[in-house]
Amino acid sequence: MKAGEHANLVTHGPYSVVRHPAYTGQWLVLTGITCYHLSPGSWLHENVNLIVYSPLILFWIGSLLRHMVFLTIRIEDEDELLRKEFGEKWEKWRKVVRYKLVPGVY
């Protein structure tokens, strides 16, 4: 973008469902990876002594949860930035697209 140009507020496609669809995708990927690795049939579940490696597994799950929490905090910062950048246009869009991350929930 050239100096003095302003970005456009995208309100169509996935942005017509949630305000931060990329973060929704990250949440889904992180949840899917966790479920995959901890489910019966996965290498971790079938080949690793879960008692021995439980601290490592807890650390891994904690890291994923921490990432998800920080992602949620970042959403608040981005909403504020968008509000400042687009003003009334963003306020109108925010009222139409009420959910930030998960339709019907948040």
Side-chain angles (χ1 to χ4, degrees):
M1 191 170 1
K2 295 179 184 176
E5 288 184 13
H6 290 282
N8 293 325
L9 181 64
V10 179
T11 59
H12 58 280
Y15 293 94
S16 65
V17 180
V18 292
R19 293 200 303 258
H20 302 278
Y23 294 157
T24 301
Q26 285 184 17
W27 267 68
L28 290 171
V29 167
L30 291 172
T31 301
I33 288 171
T34 301
C35 291
Y36 170 77
H37 285 295
L38 296 178
S39 66
S42 71
W43 178 87
L44 182 65
H45 191 274
E46 298 296 324
N47 296 310
V48 174
N49 183 339
L50 293 179
I51 305 272
V52 172
Y53 289 100
S54 61
L56 179 62
I57 293 167
L58 289 174
F59 175 77
W60 177 45
I61 293 171
S63 296
L64 289 173
L65 291 173
R66 186 183 73 236
H67 180 76
M68 293 170 100
V69 167
F70 287 140
L71 202 61
T72 304
I73 292 169
R74 184 173 172 162
I75 286 172
E76 299 301 325
D77 294 340
E78 285 193 19
D79 274 353
E80 182 61 25
L81 179 69
L82 289 168
R83 187 189 62 73
K84 287 178 182 177
E85 177 74 23
F86 296 106
E88 185 62 32
K89 188 175 182 180
W90 185 83
E91 289 293 336
K92 288 179 184 177
W93 175 63
R94 181 183 66 82
K95 289 176 183 173
V96 172
V97 181
R98 297 183 347 223
Y99 300 106
K100 299 175 185 180
L101 192 63
V102 180
V105 179
Y106 174 73

PDB file of all heavy atoms in Angstrom, residues 19-49:
ATOM      1  N   ARG A  19     -15.562 -11.937  12.845  1.00  0.00           N
ATOM      2  CA  ARG A  19     -14.692 -10.794  12.558  1.00  0.00           C
ATOM      3  C   ARG A  19     -13.224 -11.186  12.383  1.00  0.00           C
ATOM      4  O   ARG A  19     -12.456 -10.443  11.793  1.00  0.00           O
ATOM      5  CB  ARG A  19     -14.831  -9.756  13.668  1.00  0.00           C
ATOM      6  CG  ARG A  19     -16.211  -9.129  13.685  1.00  0.00           C
ATOM      7  CD  ARG A  19     -16.268  -7.813  14.407  1.00  0.00           C
ATOM      8  NE  ARG A  19     -15.836  -7.826  15.773  1.00  0.00           N
ATOM      9  CZ  ARG A  19     -16.654  -7.823  16.825  1.00  0.00           C
ATOM     10  NH1 ARG A  19     -17.968  -7.842  16.637  1.00  0.00           N
ATOM     11  NH2 ARG A  19     -16.191  -7.798  18.036  1.00  0.00           N
ATOM     12  N   HIS A  20     -12.837 -12.348  12.885  1.00  0.00           N
ATOM     13  CA  HIS A  20     -11.439 -12.768  12.797  1.00  0.00           C
ATOM     14  C   HIS A  20     -11.352 -14.222  12.319  1.00  0.00           C
ATOM     15  O   HIS A  20     -10.959 -15.125  13.072  1.00  0.00           O
ATOM     16  CB  HIS A  20     -10.756 -12.613  14.158  1.00  0.00           C
ATOM     17  CG  HIS A  20     -10.816 -11.215  14.679  1.00  0.00           C
ATOM     18  ND1 HIS A  20      -9.926 -10.239  14.282  1.00  0.00           N
ATOM     19  CD2 HIS A  20     -11.682 -10.620  15.531  1.00  0.00           C
ATOM     20  CE1 HIS A  20     -10.237  -9.099  14.888  1.00  0.00           C
ATOM     21  NE2 HIS A  20     -11.295  -9.308  15.651  1.00  0.00           N
ATOM     22  N   PRO A  21     -11.699 -14.490  11.059  1.00  0.00           N
ATOM     23  CA  PRO A  21     -11.742 -15.876  10.576  1.00  0.00           C
ATOM     24  C   PRO A  21     -10.386 -16.578  10.568  1.00  0.00           C
ATOM     25  O   PRO A  21     -10.327 -17.800  10.746  1.00  0.00           O
ATOM     26  CB  PRO A  21     -12.318 -15.754   9.167  1.00  0.00           C
ATOM     27  CG  PRO A  21     -12.084 -14.352   8.759  1.00  0.00           C
ATOM     28  CD  PRO A  21     -12.107 -13.537  10.026  1.00  0.00           C
ATOM     29  N   ALA A  22      -9.304 -15.855  10.416  1.00  0.00           N
ATOM     30  CA  ALA A  22      -7.988 -16.503  10.447  1.00  0.00           C
ATOM     31  C   ALA A  22      -7.714 -17.089  11.837  1.00  0.00           C
ATOM     32  O   ALA A  22      -7.156 -18.179  11.969  1.00  0.00           O
ATOM     33  CB  ALA A  22      -6.892 -15.515  10.063  1.00  0.00           C
ATOM     34  N   TYR A  23      -8.128 -16.371  12.868  1.00  0.00           N
ATOM     35  CA  TYR A  23      -7.942 -16.877  14.226  1.00  0.00           C
ATOM     36  C   TYR A  23      -8.869 -18.049  14.501  1.00  0.00           C
ATOM     37  O   TYR A  23      -8.507 -18.978  15.225  1.00  0.00           O
ATOM     38  CB  TYR A  23      -8.163 -15.769  15.247  1.00  0.00           C
ATOM     39  CG  TYR A  23      -7.130 -14.668  15.171  1.00  0.00           C
ATOM     40  CD1 TYR A  23      -7.395 -13.405  15.658  1.00  0.00           C
ATOM     41  CD2 TYR A  23      -5.876 -14.887  14.611  1.00  0.00           C
ATOM     42  CE1 TYR A  23      -6.456 -12.389  15.600  1.00  0.00           C
ATOM     43  CE2 TYR A  23      -4.928 -13.879  14.538  1.00  0.00           C
ATOM     44  CZ  TYR A  23      -5.225 -12.643  15.031  1.00  0.00           C
ATOM     45  OH  TYR A  23      -4.292 -11.648  14.974  1.00  0.00           O
ATOM     46  N   THR A  24     -10.056 -18.019  13.920  1.00  0.00           N
ATOM     47  CA  THR A  24     -10.953 -19.163  14.041  1.00  0.00           C
ATOM     48  C   THR A  24     -10.279 -20.395  13.456  1.00  0.00           C
ATOM     49  O   THR A  24     -10.311 -21.472  14.042  1.00  0.00           O
ATOM     50  CB  THR A  24     -12.291 -18.888  13.324  1.00  0.00           C
ATOM     51  OG1 THR A  24     -12.897 -17.743  13.907  1.00  0.00           O
ATOM     52  CG2 THR A  24     -13.226 -20.078  13.425  1.00  0.00           C
ATOM     53  N   GLY A  25      -9.642 -20.226  12.304  1.00  0.00           N
ATOM     54  CA  GLY A  25      -8.915 -21.324  11.677  1.00  0.00           C
ATOM     55  C   GLY A  25      -7.777 -21.830  12.548  1.00  0.00           C
ATOM     56  O   GLY A  25      -7.564 -23.042  12.675  1.00  0.00           O
ATOM     57  N   GLN A  26      -7.034 -20.921  13.166  1.00  0.00           N
ATOM     58  CA  GLN A  26      -5.944 -21.334  14.054  1.00  0.00           C
ATOM     59  C   GLN A  26      -6.480 -22.124  15.243  1.00  0.00           C
ATOM     60  O   GLN A  26      -5.892 -23.136  15.640  1.00  0.00           O
ATOM     61  CB  GLN A  26      -5.163 -20.119  14.539  1.00  0.00           C
ATOM     62  CG  GLN A  26      -4.257 -19.543  13.496  1.00  0.00           C
ATOM     63  CD  GLN A  26      -3.416 -18.405  14.045  1.00  0.00           C
ATOM     64  OE1 GLN A  26      -3.260 -18.221  15.247  1.00  0.00           O
ATOM     65  NE2 GLN A  26      -2.873 -17.611  13.139  1.00  0.00           N
ATOM     66  N   TRP A  27      -7.587 -21.662  15.831  1.00  0.00           N
ATOM     67  CA  TRP A  27      -8.200 -22.396  16.946  1.00  0.00           C
ATOM     68  C   TRP A  27      -8.572 -23.809  16.503  1.00  0.00           C
ATOM     69  O   TRP A  27      -8.342 -24.771  17.225  1.00  0.00           O
ATOM     70  CB  TRP A  27      -9.451 -21.669  17.424  1.00  0.00           C
ATOM     71  CG  TRP A  27      -9.226 -20.713  18.548  1.00  0.00           C
ATOM     72  CD1 TRP A  27      -8.534 -19.547  18.502  1.00  0.00           C
ATOM     73  CD2 TRP A  27      -9.700 -20.856  19.881  1.00  0.00           C
ATOM     74  NE1 TRP A  27      -8.575 -18.943  19.727  1.00  0.00           N
ATOM     75  CE2 TRP A  27      -9.279 -19.731  20.593  1.00  0.00           C
ATOM     76  CE3 TRP A  27     -10.454 -21.822  20.534  1.00  0.00           C
ATOM     77  CZ2 TRP A  27      -9.572 -19.547  21.930  1.00  0.00           C
ATOM     78  CZ3 TRP A  27     -10.745 -21.628  21.867  1.00  0.00           C
ATOM     79  CH2 TRP A  27     -10.303 -20.507  22.562  1.00  0.00           C
ATOM     80  N   LEU A  28      -9.175 -23.926  15.324  1.00  0.00           N
ATOM     81  CA  LEU A  28      -9.591 -25.239  14.827  1.00  0.00           C
ATOM     82  C   LEU A  28      -8.388 -26.149  14.584  1.00  0.00           C
ATOM     83  O   LEU A  28      -8.417 -27.334  14.930  1.00  0.00           O
ATOM     84  CB  LEU A  28     -10.411 -25.090  13.548  1.00  0.00           C
ATOM     85  CG  LEU A  28     -11.793 -24.477  13.712  1.00  0.00           C
ATOM     86  CD1 LEU A  28     -12.402 -24.178  12.344  1.00  0.00           C
ATOM     87  CD2 LEU A  28     -12.692 -25.382  14.529  1.00  0.00           C
ATOM     88  N   VAL A  29      -7.338 -25.607  14.000  1.00  0.00           N
ATOM     89  CA  VAL A  29      -6.135 -26.400  13.752  1.00  0.00           C
ATOM     90  C   VAL A  29      -5.513 -26.864  15.061  1.00  0.00           C
ATOM     91  O   VAL A  29      -5.162 -28.044  15.216  1.00  0.00           O
ATOM     92  CB  VAL A  29      -5.116 -25.602  12.906  1.00  0.00           C
ATOM     93  CG1 VAL A  29      -3.757 -26.267  12.901  1.00  0.00           C
ATOM     94  CG2 VAL A  29      -5.629 -25.429  11.479  1.00  0.00           C
ATOM     95  N   LEU A  30      -5.358 -25.970  16.023  1.00  0.00           N
ATOM     96  CA  LEU A  30      -4.760 -26.342  17.305  1.00  0.00           C
ATOM     97  C   LEU A  30      -5.604 -27.389  18.033  1.00  0.00           C
ATOM     98  O   LEU A  30      -5.075 -28.340  18.617  1.00  0.00           O
ATOM     99  CB  LEU A  30      -4.581 -25.110  18.187  1.00  0.00           C
ATOM    100  CG  LEU A  30      -3.516 -24.124  17.717  1.00  0.00           C
ATOM    101  CD1 LEU A  30      -3.564 -22.856  18.556  1.00  0.00           C
ATOM    102  CD2 LEU A  30      -2.140 -24.747  17.755  1.00  0.00           C
ATOM    103  N   THR A  31      -6.910 -27.231  17.991  1.00  0.00           N
ATOM    104  CA  THR A  31      -7.798 -28.210  18.615  1.00  0.00           C
ATOM    105  C   THR A  31      -7.695 -29.549  17.901  1.00  0.00           C
ATOM    106  O   THR A  31      -7.604 -30.601  18.541  1.00  0.00           O
ATOM    107  CB  THR A  31      -9.257 -27.704  18.588  1.00  0.00           C
ATOM    108  OG1 THR A  31      -9.309 -26.457  19.286  1.00  0.00           O
ATOM    109  CG2 THR A  31     -10.191 -28.695  19.236  1.00  0.00           C
ATOM    110  N   GLY A  32      -7.670 -29.535  16.584  1.00  0.00           N
ATOM    111  CA  GLY A  32      -7.561 -30.765  15.809  1.00  0.00           C
ATOM    112  C   GLY A  32      -6.252 -31.492  16.044  1.00  0.00           C
ATOM    113  O   GLY A  32      -6.222 -32.723  16.199  1.00  0.00           O
ATOM    114  N   ILE A  33      -5.148 -30.762  16.090  1.00  0.00           N
ATOM    115  CA  ILE A  33      -3.840 -31.374  16.349  1.00  0.00           C
ATOM    116  C   ILE A  33      -3.825 -32.037  17.719  1.00  0.00           C
ATOM    117  O   ILE A  33      -3.340 -33.162  17.877  1.00  0.00           O
ATOM    118  CB  ILE A  33      -2.716 -30.314  16.244  1.00  0.00           C
ATOM    119  CG1 ILE A  33      -2.510 -29.928  14.777  1.00  0.00           C
ATOM    120  CG2 ILE A  33      -1.422 -30.811  16.864  1.00  0.00           C
ATOM    121  CD1 ILE A  33      -1.590 -28.734  14.590  1.00  0.00           C
ATOM    122  N   THR A  34      -4.361 -31.353  18.702  1.00  0.00           N
ATOM    123  CA  THR A  34      -4.397 -31.907  20.058  1.00  0.00           C
ATOM    124  C   THR A  34      -5.242 -33.171  20.105  1.00  0.00           C
ATOM    125  O   THR A  34      -4.813 -34.197  20.654  1.00  0.00           O
ATOM    126  CB  THR A  34      -4.950 -30.866  21.043  1.00  0.00           C
ATOM    127  OG1 THR A  34      -4.113 -29.712  20.997  1.00  0.00           O
ATOM    128  CG2 THR A  34      -4.978 -31.403  22.454  1.00  0.00           C
ATOM    129  N   CYS A  35      -6.417 -33.126  19.526  1.00  0.00           N
ATOM    130  CA  CYS A  35      -7.285 -34.314  19.514  1.00  0.00           C
ATOM    131  C   CYS A  35      -6.639 -35.465  18.761  1.00  0.00           C
ATOM    132  O   CYS A  35      -6.692 -36.615  19.197  1.00  0.00           O
ATOM    133  CB  CYS A  35      -8.640 -33.971  18.893  1.00  0.00           C
ATOM    134  SG  CYS A  35      -9.641 -32.876  19.895  1.00  0.00           S
ATOM    135  N   TYR A  36      -6.019 -35.161  17.649  1.00  0.00           N
ATOM    136  CA  TYR A  36      -5.363 -36.192  16.842  1.00  0.00           C
ATOM    137  C   TYR A  36      -4.269 -36.906  17.641  1.00  0.00           C
ATOM    138  O   TYR A  36      -4.197 -38.127  17.671  1.00  0.00           O
ATOM    139  CB  TYR A  36      -4.780 -35.571  15.574  1.00  0.00           C
ATOM    140  CG  TYR A  36      -3.881 -36.501  14.804  1.00  0.00           C
ATOM    141  CD1 TYR A  36      -4.415 -37.505  14.013  1.00  0.00           C
ATOM    142  CD2 TYR A  36      -2.496 -36.380  14.880  1.00  0.00           C
ATOM    143  CE1 TYR A  36      -3.602 -38.376  13.315  1.00  0.00           C
ATOM    144  CE2 TYR A  36      -1.672 -37.238  14.191  1.00  0.00           C
ATOM    145  CZ  TYR A  36      -2.232 -38.238  13.410  1.00  0.00           C
ATOM    146  OH  TYR A  36      -1.409 -39.087  12.729  1.00  0.00           O
ATOM    147  N   HIS A  37      -3.399 -36.141  18.256  1.00  0.00           N
ATOM    148  CA  HIS A  37      -2.261 -36.738  18.957  1.00  0.00           C
ATOM    149  C   HIS A  37      -2.635 -37.441  20.251  1.00  0.00           C
ATOM    150  O   HIS A  37      -1.885 -38.291  20.727  1.00  0.00           O
ATOM    151  CB  HIS A  37      -1.192 -35.687  19.224  1.00  0.00           C
ATOM    152  CG  HIS A  37      -0.417 -35.323  18.007  1.00  0.00           C
ATOM    153  ND1 HIS A  37       0.391 -36.205  17.345  1.00  0.00           N
ATOM    154  CD2 HIS A  37      -0.360 -34.171  17.300  1.00  0.00           C
ATOM    155  CE1 HIS A  37       0.938 -35.631  16.300  1.00  0.00           C
ATOM    156  NE2 HIS A  37       0.483 -34.389  16.250  1.00  0.00           N
ATOM    157  N   LEU A  38      -3.768 -37.103  20.841  1.00  0.00           N
ATOM    158  CA  LEU A  38      -4.149 -37.739  22.103  1.00  0.00           C
ATOM    159  C   LEU A  38      -5.218 -38.816  21.937  1.00  0.00           C
ATOM    160  O   LEU A  38      -5.634 -39.422  22.914  1.00  0.00           O
ATOM    161  CB  LEU A  38      -4.640 -36.662  23.082  1.00  0.00           C
ATOM    162  CG  LEU A  38      -3.588 -35.644  23.506  1.00  0.00           C
ATOM    163  CD1 LEU A  38      -4.194 -34.602  24.425  1.00  0.00           C
ATOM    164  CD2 LEU A  38      -2.391 -36.318  24.154  1.00  0.00           C
ATOM    165  N   SER A  39      -5.628 -39.072  20.706  1.00  0.00           N
ATOM    166  CA  SER A  39      -6.696 -40.055  20.488  1.00  0.00           C
ATOM    167  C   SER A  39      -6.135 -41.467  20.320  1.00  0.00           C
ATOM    168  O   SER A  39      -4.975 -41.647  19.925  1.00  0.00           O
ATOM    169  CB  SER A  39      -7.510 -39.680  19.258  1.00  0.00           C
ATOM    170  OG  SER A  39      -6.705 -39.776  18.104  1.00  0.00           O
ATOM    171  N   PRO A  40      -6.937 -42.488  20.644  1.00  0.00           N
ATOM    172  CA  PRO A  40      -6.503 -43.870  20.434  1.00  0.00           C
ATOM    173  C   PRO A  40      -6.154 -44.094  18.962  1.00  0.00           C
ATOM    174  O   PRO A  40      -6.834 -43.608  18.068  1.00  0.00           O
ATOM    175  CB  PRO A  40      -7.728 -44.696  20.835  1.00  0.00           C
ATOM    176  CG  PRO A  40      -8.493 -43.806  21.756  1.00  0.00           C
ATOM    177  CD  PRO A  40      -8.257 -42.413  21.263  1.00  0.00           C
ATOM    178  N   GLY A  41      -5.063 -44.804  18.735  1.00  0.00           N
ATOM    179  CA  GLY A  41      -4.603 -45.066  17.378  1.00  0.00           C
ATOM    180  C   GLY A  41      -3.478 -44.144  16.962  1.00  0.00           C
ATOM    181  O   GLY A  41      -2.748 -44.447  16.018  1.00  0.00           O
ATOM    182  N   SER A  42      -3.296 -43.020  17.645  1.00  0.00           N
ATOM    183  CA  SER A  42      -2.199 -42.114  17.286  1.00  0.00           C
ATOM    184  C   SER A  42      -0.887 -42.695  17.797  1.00  0.00           C
ATOM    185  O   SER A  42      -0.847 -43.509  18.718  1.00  0.00           O
ATOM    186  CB  SER A  42      -2.416 -40.738  17.902  1.00  0.00           C
ATOM    187  OG  SER A  42      -2.231 -40.774  19.301  1.00  0.00           O
ATOM    188  N   TRP A  43       0.220 -42.273  17.191  1.00  0.00           N
ATOM    189  CA  TRP A  43       1.530 -42.775  17.613  1.00  0.00           C
ATOM    190  C   TRP A  43       1.764 -42.475  19.089  1.00  0.00           C
ATOM    191  O   TRP A  43       2.216 -43.324  19.837  1.00  0.00           O
ATOM    192  CB  TRP A  43       2.632 -42.120  16.771  1.00  0.00           C
ATOM    193  CG  TRP A  43       3.987 -42.579  17.198  1.00  0.00           C
ATOM    194  CD1 TRP A  43       4.649 -43.680  16.767  1.00  0.00           C
ATOM    195  CD2 TRP A  43       4.831 -41.961  18.175  1.00  0.00           C
ATOM    196  NE1 TRP A  43       5.858 -43.794  17.406  1.00  0.00           N
ATOM    197  CE2 TRP A  43       5.992 -42.742  18.276  1.00  0.00           C
ATOM    198  CE3 TRP A  43       4.719 -40.836  18.970  1.00  0.00           C
ATOM    199  CZ2 TRP A  43       7.037 -42.429  19.139  1.00  0.00           C
ATOM    200  CZ3 TRP A  43       5.754 -40.525  19.838  1.00  0.00           C
ATOM    201  CH2 TRP A  43       6.901 -41.313  19.912  1.00  0.00           C
ATOM    202  N   LEU A  44       1.446 -41.270  19.504  1.00  0.00           N
ATOM    203  CA  LEU A  44       1.672 -40.880  20.892  1.00  0.00           C
ATOM    204  C   LEU A  44       0.882 -41.760  21.839  1.00  0.00           C
ATOM    205  O   LEU A  44       1.410 -42.255  22.832  1.00  0.00           O
ATOM    206  CB  LEU A  44       1.285 -39.411  21.093  1.00  0.00           C
ATOM    207  CG  LEU A  44       1.503 -38.836  22.487  1.00  0.00           C
ATOM    208  CD1 LEU A  44       2.993 -38.814  22.800  1.00  0.00           C
ATOM    209  CD2 LEU A  44       0.939 -37.442  22.577  1.00  0.00           C
ATOM    210  N   HIS A  45      -0.363 -41.993  21.524  1.00  0.00           N
ATOM    211  CA  HIS A  45      -1.228 -42.785  22.396  1.00  0.00           C
ATOM    212  C   HIS A  45      -0.813 -44.247  22.423  1.00  0.00           C
ATOM    213  O   HIS A  45      -0.838 -44.895  23.473  1.00  0.00           O
ATOM    214  CB  HIS A  45      -2.679 -42.649  21.943  1.00  0.00           C
ATOM    215  CG  HIS A  45      -3.663 -43.217  22.919  1.00  0.00           C
ATOM    216  ND1 HIS A  45      -4.018 -44.538  22.926  1.00  0.00           N
ATOM    217  CD2 HIS A  45      -4.342 -42.628  23.926  1.00  0.00           C
ATOM    218  CE1 HIS A  45      -4.885 -44.751  23.888  1.00  0.00           C
ATOM    219  NE2 HIS A  45      -5.099 -43.598  24.516  1.00  0.00           N
ATOM    220  N   GLU A  46      -0.394 -44.801  21.294  1.00  0.00           N
ATOM    221  CA  GLU A  46      -0.110 -46.233  21.194  1.00  0.00           C
ATOM    222  C   GLU A  46       1.317 -46.609  21.588  1.00  0.00           C
ATOM    223  O   GLU A  46       1.555 -47.722  22.048  1.00  0.00           O
ATOM    224  CB  GLU A  46      -0.371 -46.724  19.764  1.00  0.00           C
ATOM    225  CG  GLU A  46      -1.805 -46.559  19.323  1.00  0.00           C
ATOM    226  CD  GLU A  46      -2.790 -47.394  20.129  1.00  0.00           C
ATOM    227  OE1 GLU A  46      -2.440 -48.522  20.527  1.00  0.00           O
ATOM    228  OE2 GLU A  46      -3.910 -46.902  20.351  1.00  0.00           O
ATOM    229  N   ASN A  47       2.291 -45.712  21.418  1.00  0.00           N
ATOM    230  CA  ASN A  47       3.689 -46.098  21.568  1.00  0.00           C
ATOM    231  C   ASN A  47       4.438 -45.429  22.709  1.00  0.00           C
ATOM    232  O   ASN A  47       5.586 -45.739  22.942  1.00  0.00           O
ATOM    233  CB  ASN A  47       4.442 -45.815  20.262  1.00  0.00           C
ATOM    234  CG  ASN A  47       3.911 -46.655  19.135  1.00  0.00           C
ATOM    235  OD1 ASN A  47       3.774 -47.862  19.277  1.00  0.00           O
ATOM    236  ND2 ASN A  47       3.591 -46.025  18.035  1.00  0.00           N
ATOM    237  N   VAL A  48       3.828 -44.516  23.381  1.00  0.00           N
ATOM    238  CA  VAL A  48       4.530 -43.793  24.432  1.00  0.00           C
ATOM    239  C   VAL A  48       3.904 -44.141  25.769  1.00  0.00           C
ATOM    240  O   VAL A  48       2.686 -44.197  25.909  1.00  0.00           O
ATOM    241  CB  VAL A  48       4.448 -42.267  24.176  1.00  0.00           C
ATOM    242  CG1 VAL A  48       5.043 -41.498  25.328  1.00  0.00           C
ATOM    243  CG2 VAL A  48       5.161 -41.914  22.893  1.00  0.00           C
ATOM    244  N   ASN A  49       4.743 -44.369  26.742  1.00  0.00           N
ATOM    245  CA  ASN A  49       4.281 -44.600  28.099  1.00  0.00           C
ATOM    246  C   ASN A  49       3.772 -43.260  28.631  1.00  0.00           C
ATOM    247  O   ASN A  49       4.547 -42.375  28.968  1.00  0.00           O
ATOM    248  CB  ASN A  49       5.432 -45.139  28.952  1.00  0.00           C
ATOM    249  CG  ASN A  49       4.998 -45.479  30.352  1.00  0.00           C
ATOM    250  OD1 ASN A  49       3.974 -44.992  30.832  1.00  0.00           O
ATOM    251  ND2 ASN A  49       5.776 -46.295  31.010  1.00  0.00           N
TER     252      ASN A  49
END
